[in-house]
Every structure is written in C-alpha cells, then in structure tokens.
Amino acid sequence: MPPKMPSMGRKKIVAQPTDKRTNKPNMVAAAVELAGGAAAVAELCGVRRQSVYWWIKERKIERLVDALKLSRASGIPVEKFAVEIIDAGKSKGSE
C-alpha cells in the first residue's frame, strides 16, 4: 500500500480568527449568516464564495458596494463592517 499523502486542499476558514481581535463580535460573519450564507452573498455581490470567506476571516469588506449590498440583505448597518481607522496624527513620523 502506498504511503498516504497529505491533503493538498486549502485550509477551511472559520468565522473566528485567532488573533487579538477575538473579543469583538464578527459582524461580517453575522451579516453573511443573516443574508443566507456565503454562497448567497457571493451571488448577490457578484464575487466568488472564496471572497466572502476572506471577508469573514479579515472581519472587513474592502469594497463599499459589496458592504452596502450585504447591509441591505442582512439588516445590519454598513458602519458595523468598517475597519478600524488609525489616527493619522498619532503616527510615528508626525512627531
């Protein structure tokens, strides 16, 4: 019997990343669930399902058009999908 090869598939992305942001709820994951799942959201926004899972992993939606569509479909305000804004006045080079 030949030796078993490791799986070549991609690692499944879960809704909760294991970084420092885990204490906040993942609003993107909640919105995707309310809108009917990743496949439904991908079809709604005209993107691949993989992109939707990337949004969930990153906890943000890059394109405003997609954020607005997901907001309408889920009922969650679009402001909840906003990424954290870094204050430009507190950057290292401004001192």
Side-chain angles (χ1 to χ4, degrees):
M1 178 183 280
K4 187 174 180 182
M5 299 295 292
S7 175
M8 297 302 289
R10 295 198 64 184
K11 184 178 177 183
K12 184 176 179 182
I13 299 172
V14 294
Q16 290 292 333
T18 57
D19 62 0
K20 62 184 178 240
R21 298 177 290 180
T22 56
N23 58 349
K24 295 181 183 178
N26 189 339
M27 296 308 291
V28 176
V32 168
E33 185 69 27
L34 287 171
V41 172
E43 186 176 333
L44 174 73
C45 296
V47 298
R48 293 180 185 230
R49 192 180 59 187
Q50 179 181 4
S51 298
V52 177
Y53 287 117
W54 185 83
W55 297 343
I56 293 170
K57 177 180 174 256
E58 295 295 319
R59 296 175 166 238
K60 63 182 177 181
I61 302 173
E62 295 279 332
R63 296 185 340 176
L64 179 61
V65 174
D66 296 333
L68 290 170
K69 287 179 182 177
L70 182 57
S71 175
R72 277 192 161 173
S74 66
I76 295 178
V78 71
E79 293 84 14
K80 299 289 185 178
F81 308 139
V83 296
E84 296 177 16
I85 300 173
I86 300 172
D87 186 12
K90 294 184 180 179
S91 64
K92 292 180 185 177
S94 66
E95 293 181 30

